[in-house]
Amino acid sequence: MTDHTPDTPLVQEPRRWQNEQWTAQVIKNDDDDGWAVAMYKDGASEPALVGPWTMGRDKKNPKPLDGSAFITLVKTASEFVRRSEQQLHATLHQSVTVNGLSGRVTVCLDIVPDEDSPYATLSAQDELGEALAEVKVDAGFKLSRQSAQAWVDAEFARPGSGRR
């Protein structure tokens, strides 16, 4: 019985390498006569990353995958996924700090990207982290220093409604 660690390849073929977290698949590049490598995470149906792949010596077939190439591809794809997740988080969770009547107020916008009815929650906290207000807003609400300051100045009335 083989002891598989996350870095131990489960499949080692010229055009396909796999460990318990990633699969590298060399594919024909649809855009030209070359080759590409697609990196799939955890058996996902869509690749997390697709990049160019080197031609072999015959200038017709792809260079075979090997251990060092696979390790590099896993590191690259993992970093790409991590950055994409960070970017998505930053898009869905925003905050700015503005001046309120009794001190600094942090205004947060948390977007819920529901496929059927996306929405967002606009909330405010004082300097001690105490909740001051929370309202449901359109998912397209744009949080900026100006919009946050206007909400605080309007004593947390629902933006665009003139009411709380």
Short mmCIF file of all heavy atoms in Angstrom, two decimals, residues 69-141:
data_model
loop_
_atom_site.label_atom_id
_atom_site.label_comp_id
_atom_site.label_asym_id
_atom_site.label_seq_id
_atom_site.Cartn_x
_atom_site.Cartn_y
_atom_site.Cartn_z
N ALA A 69 8.17 20.29 -13.11
CA ALA A 69 7.17 21.13 -13.80
C ALA A 69 5.85 21.09 -13.04
O ALA A 69 5.19 22.12 -12.87
CB ALA A 69 6.98 20.65 -15.23
N PHE A 70 5.47 19.91 -12.57
CA PHE A 70 4.21 19.78 -11.84
C PHE A 70 4.24 20.61 -10.56
O PHE A 70 3.28 21.32 -10.24
CB PHE A 70 3.92 18.31 -11.53
CG PHE A 70 2.62 18.10 -10.80
CD1 PHE A 70 1.40 18.27 -11.45
CD2 PHE A 70 2.61 17.72 -9.47
CE1 PHE A 70 0.20 18.07 -10.78
CE2 PHE A 70 1.42 17.52 -8.80
CZ PHE A 70 0.21 17.69 -9.45
N ILE A 71 5.34 20.55 -9.82
CA ILE A 71 5.46 21.32 -8.58
C ILE A 71 5.34 22.82 -8.88
O ILE A 71 4.64 23.55 -8.18
CB ILE A 71 6.80 21.00 -7.88
CG1 ILE A 71 6.74 19.58 -7.30
CG2 ILE A 71 7.10 22.02 -6.78
CD1 ILE A 71 8.08 19.04 -6.83
N THR A 72 5.99 23.27 -9.93
CA THR A 72 5.91 24.69 -10.32
C THR A 72 4.48 25.06 -10.71
O THR A 72 3.97 26.11 -10.32
CB THR A 72 6.87 24.98 -11.49
OG1 THR A 72 8.20 24.67 -11.06
CG2 THR A 72 6.80 26.43 -11.92
N LEU A 73 3.82 24.19 -11.47
CA LEU A 73 2.43 24.45 -11.88
C LEU A 73 1.49 24.51 -10.68
O LEU A 73 0.60 25.37 -10.62
CB LEU A 73 1.96 23.38 -12.86
CG LEU A 73 2.58 23.43 -14.25
CD1 LEU A 73 2.31 22.13 -15.00
CD2 LEU A 73 2.04 24.63 -15.03
N VAL A 74 1.68 23.62 -9.71
CA VAL A 74 0.85 23.62 -8.51
C VAL A 74 1.06 24.93 -7.74
O VAL A 74 0.09 25.57 -7.30
CB VAL A 74 1.14 22.40 -7.62
CG1 VAL A 74 0.54 22.57 -6.23
CG2 VAL A 74 0.61 21.13 -8.28
N LYS A 75 2.30 25.37 -7.58
CA LYS A 75 2.58 26.62 -6.87
C LYS A 75 1.94 27.81 -7.58
O LYS A 75 1.32 28.66 -6.96
CB LYS A 75 4.09 26.85 -6.74
CG LYS A 75 4.74 25.97 -5.71
CD LYS A 75 6.23 26.23 -5.63
CE LYS A 75 6.89 25.27 -4.66
NZ LYS A 75 8.34 25.46 -4.60
N THR A 76 2.07 27.86 -8.90
CA THR A 76 1.50 28.95 -9.69
C THR A 76 -0.02 28.96 -9.60
O THR A 76 -0.64 30.00 -9.36
CB THR A 76 1.94 28.84 -11.16
OG1 THR A 76 3.36 28.85 -11.22
CG2 THR A 76 1.38 29.98 -12.00
N ALA A 77 -0.65 27.80 -9.77
CA ALA A 77 -2.11 27.72 -9.72
C ALA A 77 -2.63 28.03 -8.32
O ALA A 77 -3.64 28.73 -8.17
CB ALA A 77 -2.57 26.34 -10.17
N SER A 78 -1.94 27.56 -7.29
CA SER A 78 -2.35 27.84 -5.91
C SER A 78 -2.31 29.33 -5.62
O SER A 78 -3.22 29.89 -5.00
CB SER A 78 -1.46 27.10 -4.91
OG SER A 78 -1.60 25.71 -5.07
N GLU A 79 -1.24 29.99 -6.06
CA GLU A 79 -1.11 31.43 -5.86
C GLU A 79 -2.20 32.18 -6.63
O GLU A 79 -2.78 33.14 -6.12
CB GLU A 79 0.28 31.90 -6.31
CG GLU A 79 0.53 33.38 -6.16
CD GLU A 79 0.53 33.87 -4.72
OE1 GLU A 79 0.67 33.06 -3.77
OE2 GLU A 79 0.41 35.09 -4.53
N PHE A 80 -2.49 31.75 -7.84
CA PHE A 80 -3.55 32.38 -8.64
C PHE A 80 -4.90 32.26 -7.93
O PHE A 80 -5.64 33.24 -7.84
CB PHE A 80 -3.60 31.74 -10.04
CG PHE A 80 -4.64 32.35 -10.92
CD1 PHE A 80 -4.41 33.53 -11.59
CD2 PHE A 80 -5.87 31.72 -11.07
CE1 PHE A 80 -5.38 34.10 -12.40
CE2 PHE A 80 -6.85 32.28 -11.89
CZ PHE A 80 -6.60 33.46 -12.55
N VAL A 81 -5.22 31.09 -7.43
CA VAL A 81 -6.48 30.87 -6.72
C VAL A 81 -6.53 31.72 -5.46
O VAL A 81 -7.55 32.36 -5.17
CB VAL A 81 -6.68 29.37 -6.40
CG1 VAL A 81 -7.82 29.16 -5.42
CG2 VAL A 81 -6.93 28.59 -7.68
N ARG A 82 -5.43 31.76 -4.73
CA ARG A 82 -5.38 32.56 -3.49
C ARG A 82 -5.63 34.03 -3.79
O ARG A 82 -6.42 34.70 -3.12
CB ARG A 82 -4.03 32.38 -2.79
CG ARG A 82 -3.96 33.04 -1.41
CD ARG A 82 -2.58 32.87 -0.77
NE ARG A 82 -1.56 33.61 -1.46
CZ ARG A 82 -1.37 34.94 -1.35
NH1 ARG A 82 -2.16 35.64 -0.59
NH2 ARG A 82 -0.39 35.53 -1.99
N ARG A 83 -4.98 34.56 -4.82
CA ARG A 83 -5.18 35.97 -5.18
C ARG A 83 -6.59 36.23 -5.66
O ARG A 83 -7.17 37.27 -5.35
CB ARG A 83 -4.17 36.38 -6.24
CG ARG A 83 -2.79 36.56 -5.67
CD ARG A 83 -1.84 37.11 -6.69
NE ARG A 83 -0.50 37.22 -6.12
CZ ARG A 83 0.55 37.56 -6.81
NH1 ARG A 83 0.44 37.83 -8.10
NH2 ARG A 83 1.71 37.66 -6.23
N SER A 84 -7.16 35.31 -6.40
CA SER A 84 -8.55 35.47 -6.87
C SER A 84 -9.51 35.50 -5.69
O SER A 84 -10.45 36.30 -5.67
CB SER A 84 -8.93 34.33 -7.81
OG SER A 84 -8.16 34.37 -8.98
N GLU A 85 -9.28 34.63 -4.71
CA GLU A 85 -10.13 34.60 -3.51
C GLU A 85 -10.00 35.89 -2.72
O GLU A 85 -10.98 36.44 -2.21
CB GLU A 85 -9.80 33.39 -2.64
CG GLU A 85 -10.25 32.08 -3.25
CD GLU A 85 -9.70 30.86 -2.54
OE1 GLU A 85 -8.78 30.99 -1.69
OE2 GLU A 85 -10.17 29.75 -2.86
N GLN A 86 -8.76 36.42 -2.61
CA GLN A 86 -8.55 37.68 -1.91
C GLN A 86 -9.26 38.84 -2.61
O GLN A 86 -9.86 39.69 -1.98
CB GLN A 86 -7.06 38.01 -1.80
CG GLN A 86 -6.33 37.17 -0.78
CD GLN A 86 -4.83 37.45 -0.78
OE1 GLN A 86 -4.26 37.89 -1.77
NE2 GLN A 86 -4.20 37.19 0.35
N GLN A 87 -9.19 38.84 -3.94
CA GLN A 87 -9.83 39.89 -4.72
C GLN A 87 -11.35 39.81 -4.56
O GLN A 87 -12.01 40.84 -4.39
CB GLN A 87 -9.44 39.77 -6.19
CG GLN A 87 -10.01 40.88 -7.05
CD GLN A 87 -9.57 40.76 -8.50
OE1 GLN A 87 -9.02 39.75 -8.93
NE2 GLN A 87 -9.83 41.80 -9.27
N LEU A 88 -11.91 38.62 -4.61
CA LEU A 88 -13.35 38.45 -4.43
C LEU A 88 -13.76 38.92 -3.04
O LEU A 88 -14.75 39.65 -2.88
CB LEU A 88 -13.76 36.99 -4.64
CG LEU A 88 -15.25 36.68 -4.41
CD1 LEU A 88 -16.13 37.48 -5.38
CD2 LEU A 88 -15.51 35.19 -4.54
N HIS A 89 -13.00 38.54 -2.02
CA HIS A 89 -13.30 38.96 -0.65
C HIS A 89 -13.28 40.48 -0.54
O HIS A 89 -14.16 41.09 0.07
CB HIS A 89 -12.32 38.33 0.35
CG HIS A 89 -12.59 38.74 1.76
ND1 HIS A 89 -13.66 38.27 2.48
CD2 HIS A 89 -11.94 39.61 2.58
CE1 HIS A 89 -13.66 38.82 3.68
NE2 HIS A 89 -12.62 39.64 3.76
N ALA A 90 -12.27 41.12 -1.13
CA ALA A 90 -12.15 42.57 -1.09
C ALA A 90 -13.32 43.24 -1.81
O ALA A 90 -13.79 44.31 -1.40
CB ALA A 90 -10.83 43.02 -1.70
N THR A 91 -13.83 42.62 -2.86
CA THR A 91 -14.96 43.17 -3.60
C THR A 91 -16.25 43.04 -2.79
O THR A 91 -17.07 43.94 -2.77
CB THR A 91 -15.13 42.44 -4.95
OG1 THR A 91 -13.93 42.61 -5.70
CG2 THR A 91 -16.31 42.97 -5.74
N LEU A 92 -16.42 41.91 -2.10
CA LEU A 92 -17.65 41.65 -1.37
C LEU A 92 -17.70 42.28 0.02
O LEU A 92 -18.78 42.43 0.59
CB LEU A 92 -17.87 40.14 -1.24
CG LEU A 92 -18.06 39.37 -2.55
CD1 LEU A 92 -18.21 37.88 -2.27
CD2 LEU A 92 -19.25 39.90 -3.33
N HIS A 93 -16.54 42.63 0.59
CA HIS A 93 -16.47 43.18 1.95
C HIS A 93 -15.60 44.43 1.93
O HIS A 93 -14.38 44.34 1.88
CB HIS A 93 -15.90 42.15 2.92
CG HIS A 93 -16.63 40.84 2.88
ND1 HIS A 93 -17.85 40.65 3.46
CD2 HIS A 93 -16.31 39.67 2.28
CE1 HIS A 93 -18.26 39.41 3.24
NE2 HIS A 93 -17.35 38.80 2.52
N GLN A 94 -16.26 45.59 1.96
CA GLN A 94 -15.56 46.86 1.89
C GLN A 94 -15.82 47.67 3.16
O GLN A 94 -16.87 47.50 3.79
CB GLN A 94 -16.03 47.66 0.68
CG GLN A 94 -15.91 46.92 -0.62
CD GLN A 94 -16.70 47.59 -1.73
OE1 GLN A 94 -16.93 48.79 -1.71
NE2 GLN A 94 -17.13 46.82 -2.71
N SER A 95 -14.90 48.56 3.50
CA SER A 95 -15.14 49.45 4.64
C SER A 95 -14.36 50.75 4.46
O SER A 95 -13.31 50.77 3.82
CB SER A 95 -14.76 48.78 5.96
OG SER A 95 -13.37 48.60 6.03
N VAL A 96 -14.93 51.80 5.02
CA VAL A 96 -14.27 53.11 5.07
C VAL A 96 -14.55 53.71 6.44
O VAL A 96 -15.56 53.37 7.08
CB VAL A 96 -14.73 54.07 3.96
CG1 VAL A 96 -14.36 53.56 2.59
CG2 VAL A 96 -16.21 54.36 4.04
N THR A 97 -13.69 54.60 6.89
CA THR A 97 -13.88 55.28 8.16
C THR A 97 -14.07 56.77 7.90
O THR A 97 -13.31 57.36 7.14
CB THR A 97 -12.68 55.03 9.10
OG1 THR A 97 -12.54 53.62 9.28
CG2 THR A 97 -12.88 55.67 10.46
N VAL A 98 -15.11 57.32 8.53
CA VAL A 98 -15.45 58.73 8.36
C VAL A 98 -15.69 59.35 9.73
O VAL A 98 -15.70 58.66 10.75
CB VAL A 98 -16.69 58.91 7.46
CG1 VAL A 98 -16.41 58.40 6.04
CG2 VAL A 98 -17.90 58.20 8.03
N ASN A 99 -15.91 60.66 9.76
CA ASN A 99 -16.18 61.36 11.02
C ASN A 99 -17.68 61.39 11.29
O ASN A 99 -18.48 61.72 10.42
CB ASN A 99 -15.65 62.79 10.96
CG ASN A 99 -14.14 62.82 10.92
OD1 ASN A 99 -13.49 62.09 11.65
ND2 ASN A 99 -13.59 63.67 10.08
N GLY A 100 -18.04 61.03 12.53
CA GLY A 100 -19.42 61.12 12.99
C GLY A 100 -19.53 62.23 14.02
O GLY A 100 -18.53 62.88 14.35
N LEU A 101 -20.72 62.44 14.55
CA LEU A 101 -20.93 63.50 15.53
C LEU A 101 -20.13 63.26 16.81
O LEU A 101 -19.66 64.21 17.44
CB LEU A 101 -22.42 63.63 15.88
CG LEU A 101 -23.30 64.17 14.76
CD1 LEU A 101 -24.77 64.13 15.17
CD2 LEU A 101 -22.88 65.58 14.38
N SER A 102 -19.96 62.00 17.20
CA SER A 102 -19.26 61.71 18.45
C SER A 102 -17.98 60.89 18.23
O SER A 102 -17.58 60.12 19.09
CB SER A 102 -20.20 60.99 19.41
OG SER A 102 -20.66 59.79 18.82
N GLY A 103 -17.34 61.04 17.08
CA GLY A 103 -16.08 60.33 16.83
C GLY A 103 -16.07 59.64 15.48
O GLY A 103 -16.96 59.82 14.64
N ARG A 104 -15.05 58.82 15.30
CA ARG A 104 -14.87 58.10 14.03
C ARG A 104 -15.90 56.98 13.91
O ARG A 104 -16.23 56.31 14.89
CB ARG A 104 -13.46 57.51 13.95
CG ARG A 104 -12.33 58.52 14.14
CD ARG A 104 -12.13 59.44 12.97
NE ARG A 104 -11.43 58.74 11.90
CZ ARG A 104 -11.45 59.13 10.65
NH1 ARG A 104 -12.10 60.19 10.28
NH2 ARG A 104 -10.80 58.46 9.73
N VAL A 105 -16.40 56.79 12.68
CA VAL A 105 -17.39 55.75 12.38
C VAL A 105 -16.86 54.92 11.23
O VAL A 105 -16.43 55.46 10.20
CB VAL A 105 -18.76 56.38 11.99
CG1 VAL A 105 -19.74 55.29 11.59
CG2 VAL A 105 -19.31 57.21 13.14
N THR A 106 -16.86 53.61 11.41
CA THR A 106 -16.48 52.70 10.33
C THR A 106 -17.74 52.21 9.67
O THR A 106 -18.63 51.64 10.32
CB THR A 106 -15.65 51.52 10.86
OG1 THR A 106 -14.47 52.03 11.48
CG2 THR A 106 -15.27 50.56 9.74
N VAL A 107 -17.82 52.44 8.36
CA VAL A 107 -18.98 52.01 7.57
C VAL A 107 -18.55 50.82 6.72
O VAL A 107 -17.54 50.89 6.02
CB VAL A 107 -19.50 53.17 6.69
CG1 VAL A 107 -20.65 52.69 5.81
CG2 VAL A 107 -19.94 54.35 7.56
N CYS A 108 -19.31 49.74 6.81
CA CYS A 108 -18.99 48.51 6.08
C CYS A 108 -20.10 48.18 5.09
O CYS A 108 -21.27 48.39 5.37
CB CYS A 108 -18.85 47.33 7.05
SG CYS A 108 -17.55 47.56 8.27
N LEU A 109 -19.69 47.64 3.95
CA LEU A 109 -20.63 47.15 2.95
C LEU A 109 -20.29 45.68 2.72
O LEU A 109 -19.17 45.35 2.33
CB LEU A 109 -20.50 47.93 1.64
CG LEU A 109 -21.43 47.47 0.51
CD1 LEU A 109 -22.88 47.82 0.85
CD2 LEU A 109 -21.03 48.10 -0.82
N ASP A 110 -21.25 44.81 3.00
CA ASP A 110 -21.07 43.38 2.80
C ASP A 110 -22.07 42.91 1.76
O ASP A 110 -23.28 42.93 2.00
CB ASP A 110 -21.27 42.62 4.12
CG ASP A 110 -20.17 42.94 5.11
OD1 ASP A 110 -19.01 42.67 4.80
OD2 ASP A 110 -20.49 43.50 6.19
N ILE A 111 -21.55 42.50 0.60
CA ILE A 111 -22.40 42.08 -0.52
C ILE A 111 -22.64 40.57 -0.45
O ILE A 111 -21.71 39.80 -0.26
CB ILE A 111 -21.75 42.46 -1.87
CG1 ILE A 111 -21.56 43.98 -1.94
CG2 ILE A 111 -22.58 41.96 -3.04
CD1 ILE A 111 -20.72 44.44 -3.10
N VAL A 112 -23.89 40.18 -0.63
CA VAL A 112 -24.28 38.77 -0.70
C VAL A 112 -24.61 38.49 -2.16
O VAL A 112 -25.65 38.92 -2.66
CB VAL A 112 -25.48 38.46 0.22
CG1 VAL A 112 -25.88 37.00 0.10
CG2 VAL A 112 -25.15 38.83 1.66
N PRO A 113 -23.71 37.78 -2.88
CA PRO A 113 -23.90 37.59 -4.32
C PRO A 113 -24.85 36.45 -4.67
O PRO A 113 -24.52 35.56 -5.43
CB PRO A 113 -22.48 37.30 -4.80
CG PRO A 113 -21.84 36.60 -3.65
CD PRO A 113 -22.45 37.23 -2.41
N ASP A 114 -26.06 36.49 -4.13
CA ASP A 114 -27.07 35.48 -4.41
C ASP A 114 -27.45 35.54 -5.88
O ASP A 114 -27.67 36.62 -6.43
CB ASP A 114 -28.29 35.75 -3.52
CG ASP A 114 -29.34 34.68 -3.64
OD1 ASP A 114 -30.12 34.72 -4.61
OD2 ASP A 114 -29.38 33.79 -2.77
N GLU A 115 -27.55 34.39 -6.56
CA GLU A 115 -27.86 34.38 -7.99
C GLU A 115 -29.25 34.93 -8.29
O GLU A 115 -29.45 35.59 -9.31
CB GLU A 115 -27.74 32.95 -8.55
CG GLU A 115 -26.31 32.51 -8.73
CD GLU A 115 -26.20 31.18 -9.45
OE1 GLU A 115 -27.05 30.89 -10.32
OE2 GLU A 115 -25.26 30.44 -9.13
N ASP A 116 -30.22 34.67 -7.43
CA ASP A 116 -31.59 35.11 -7.69
C ASP A 116 -31.85 36.55 -7.24
O ASP A 116 -32.47 37.32 -7.95
CB ASP A 116 -32.59 34.17 -7.00
CG ASP A 116 -32.52 32.77 -7.56
OD1 ASP A 116 -32.25 32.62 -8.77
OD2 ASP A 116 -32.71 31.81 -6.78
N SER A 117 -31.41 36.88 -6.05
CA SER A 117 -31.66 38.24 -5.54
C SER A 117 -30.48 38.72 -4.69
O SER A 117 -30.52 38.67 -3.47
CB SER A 117 -32.96 38.28 -4.74
OG SER A 117 -32.92 37.32 -3.69
N PRO A 118 -29.44 39.20 -5.35
CA PRO A 118 -28.29 39.69 -4.59
C PRO A 118 -28.66 40.96 -3.81
O PRO A 118 -29.54 41.72 -4.21
CB PRO A 118 -27.26 40.00 -5.68
CG PRO A 118 -28.04 40.19 -6.92
CD PRO A 118 -29.26 39.35 -6.79
N TYR A 119 -28.00 41.13 -2.68
CA TYR A 119 -28.24 42.32 -1.86
C TYR A 119 -26.96 42.61 -1.08
O TYR A 119 -25.99 41.86 -1.15
CB TYR A 119 -29.43 42.11 -0.91
CG TYR A 119 -29.18 41.08 0.16
CD1 TYR A 119 -28.69 41.45 1.41
CD2 TYR A 119 -29.41 39.73 -0.08
CE1 TYR A 119 -28.45 40.50 2.40
CE2 TYR A 119 -29.18 38.78 0.89
CZ TYR A 119 -28.70 39.17 2.13
OH TYR A 119 -28.46 38.24 3.10
N ALA A 120 -27.00 43.71 -0.35
CA ALA A 120 -25.86 44.07 0.48
C ALA A 120 -26.37 44.62 1.81
O ALA A 120 -27.51 45.06 1.92
CB ALA A 120 -25.01 45.11 -0.23
N THR A 121 -25.50 44.56 2.80
CA THR A 121 -25.80 45.13 4.11
C THR A 121 -24.82 46.26 4.35
O THR A 121 -23.60 46.07 4.25
CB THR A 121 -25.68 44.07 5.22
OG1 THR A 121 -26.56 42.99 4.94
CG2 THR A 121 -26.00 44.66 6.57
N LEU A 122 -25.37 47.42 4.65
CA LEU A 122 -24.57 48.58 5.01
C LEU A 122 -24.64 48.71 6.52
O LEU A 122 -25.74 48.70 7.09
CB LEU A 122 -25.16 49.82 4.32
CG LEU A 122 -24.36 51.11 4.35
CD1 LEU A 122 -23.02 50.94 3.63
CD2 LEU A 122 -25.15 52.23 3.71
N SER A 123 -23.49 48.76 7.18
CA SER A 123 -23.50 48.84 8.64
C SER A 123 -22.50 49.88 9.11
O SER A 123 -21.58 50.27 8.39
CB SER A 123 -23.18 47.48 9.26
OG SER A 123 -21.89 47.04 8.86
N ALA A 124 -22.71 50.34 10.35
CA ALA A 124 -21.82 51.34 10.93
C ALA A 124 -21.46 50.93 12.35
O ALA A 124 -22.31 50.39 13.08
CB ALA A 124 -22.50 52.71 10.93
N GLN A 125 -20.20 51.19 12.71
CA GLN A 125 -19.72 50.90 14.06
C GLN A 125 -18.95 52.10 14.57
O GLN A 125 -18.26 52.79 13.80
CB GLN A 125 -18.76 49.70 14.06
CG GLN A 125 -19.38 48.41 13.65
CD GLN A 125 -18.36 47.27 13.65
OE1 GLN A 125 -17.16 47.51 13.61
NE2 GLN A 125 -18.83 46.06 13.66
N ASP A 126 -19.02 52.33 15.88
CA ASP A 126 -18.22 53.40 16.46
C ASP A 126 -16.79 52.91 16.70
O ASP A 126 -16.44 51.78 16.34
CB ASP A 126 -18.87 53.94 17.74
CG ASP A 126 -18.91 52.92 18.88
OD1 ASP A 126 -18.20 51.88 18.83
OD2 ASP A 126 -19.66 53.16 19.85
N GLU A 127 -15.99 53.76 17.29
CA GLU A 127 -14.57 53.43 17.49
C GLU A 127 -14.35 52.23 18.41
O GLU A 127 -13.30 51.59 18.34
CB GLU A 127 -13.83 54.65 18.06
CG GLU A 127 -13.75 55.79 17.08
CD GLU A 127 -13.12 57.04 17.66
OE1 GLU A 127 -13.81 57.73 18.42
OE2 GLU A 127 -11.93 57.28 17.34
N LEU A 128 -15.34 51.92 19.25
CA LEU A 128 -15.23 50.78 20.17
C LEU A 128 -15.78 49.50 19.55
O LEU A 128 -15.80 48.46 20.18
CB LEU A 128 -15.96 51.08 21.47
CG LEU A 128 -15.44 52.29 22.25
CD1 LEU A 128 -16.33 52.55 23.47
CD2 LEU A 128 -13.99 52.09 22.66
N GLY A 129 -16.27 49.58 18.31
CA GLY A 129 -16.82 48.41 17.64
C GLY A 129 -18.30 48.19 17.93
O GLY A 129 -18.85 47.16 17.54
N GLU A 130 -18.94 49.14 18.59
CA GLU A 130 -20.37 49.02 18.89
C GLU A 130 -21.18 49.34 17.64
O GLU A 130 -20.91 50.31 16.94
CB GLU A 130 -20.76 49.99 20.01
CG GLU A 130 -20.11 49.70 21.34
CD GLU A 130 -20.60 48.40 21.96
OE1 GLU A 130 -21.81 48.11 21.86
OE2 GLU A 130 -19.77 47.67 22.53
N ALA A 131 -22.19 48.52 17.37
CA ALA A 131 -23.06 48.72 16.21
C ALA A 131 -23.88 49.99 16.38
O ALA A 131 -24.50 50.20 17.43
CB ALA A 131 -23.96 47.52 16.01
N LEU A 132 -23.88 50.81 15.35
CA LEU A 132 -24.67 52.04 15.35
C LEU A 132 -25.89 51.91 14.47
O LEU A 132 -26.94 52.48 14.77
CB LEU A 132 -23.81 53.22 14.88
CG LEU A 132 -22.57 53.55 15.71
CD1 LEU A 132 -21.75 54.63 15.02
CD2 LEU A 132 -22.98 53.99 17.11
N ALA A 133 -25.74 51.21 13.35
CA ALA A 133 -26.85 51.06 12.41
C ALA A 133 -26.55 49.93 11.44
O ALA A 133 -25.39 49.56 11.23
CB ALA A 133 -27.08 52.36 11.65
N GLU A 134 -27.63 49.41 10.84
CA GLU A 134 -27.49 48.40 9.79
C GLU A 134 -28.73 48.46 8.91
O GLU A 134 -29.85 48.46 9.42
CB GLU A 134 -27.34 47.01 10.41
CG GLU A 134 -27.14 45.92 9.39
CD GLU A 134 -26.86 44.57 10.02
OE1 GLU A 134 -25.83 44.43 10.71
OE2 GLU A 134 -27.69 43.66 9.83
N VAL A 135 -28.52 48.55 7.59
CA VAL A 135 -29.64 48.57 6.65
C VAL A 135 -29.31 47.69 5.46
O VAL A 135 -28.14 47.52 5.10
CB VAL A 135 -29.99 50.00 6.16
CG1 VAL A 135 -30.50 50.87 7.27
CG2 VAL A 135 -28.82 50.64 5.46
N LYS A 136 -30.35 47.14 4.86
CA LYS A 136 -30.20 46.36 3.64
C LYS A 136 -30.24 47.33 2.46
O LYS A 136 -31.10 48.22 2.42
CB LYS A 136 -31.34 45.34 3.55
CG LYS A 136 -31.18 44.31 2.46
CD LYS A 136 -32.28 43.27 2.58
CE LYS A 136 -32.20 42.26 1.47
NZ LYS A 136 -33.24 41.23 1.60
N VAL A 137 -29.29 47.18 1.54
CA VAL A 137 -29.23 48.05 0.36
C VAL A 137 -29.06 47.19 -0.88
O VAL A 137 -28.81 45.98 -0.80
CB VAL A 137 -28.06 49.07 0.46
CG1 VAL A 137 -28.28 50.06 1.60
CG2 VAL A 137 -26.71 48.38 0.61
N ASP A 138 -29.20 47.82 -2.03
CA ASP A 138 -29.01 47.15 -3.30
C ASP A 138 -27.57 46.64 -3.41
O ASP A 138 -26.64 47.31 -2.96
CB ASP A 138 -29.32 48.13 -4.44
CG ASP A 138 -29.24 47.48 -5.78
OD1 ASP A 138 -30.16 46.70 -6.10
OD2 ASP A 138 -28.25 47.72 -6.50
N ALA A 139 -27.38 45.48 -4.03
CA ALA A 139 -26.04 44.91 -4.18
C ALA A 139 -25.14 45.82 -5.01
O ALA A 139 -23.91 45.73 -4.91
CB ALA A 139 -26.11 43.53 -4.82
N GLY A 140 -25.71 46.70 -5.80
CA GLY A 140 -24.93 47.63 -6.61
C GLY A 140 -24.55 48.91 -5.89
O GLY A 140 -23.94 49.80 -6.50
N PHE A 141 -24.87 49.01 -4.60
CA PHE A 141 -24.53 50.22 -3.84
C PHE A 141 -23.02 50.43 -3.88
O PHE A 141 -22.25 49.49 -3.68
CB PHE A 141 -25.00 50.07 -2.39
CG PHE A 141 -24.74 51.28 -1.55
CD1 PHE A 141 -25.64 52.33 -1.52
CD2 PHE A 141 -23.58 51.37 -0.79
CE1 PHE A 141 -25.39 53.45 -0.74
CE2 PHE A 141 -23.33 52.49 -0.01
CZ PHE A 141 -24.24 53.54 0.02
#
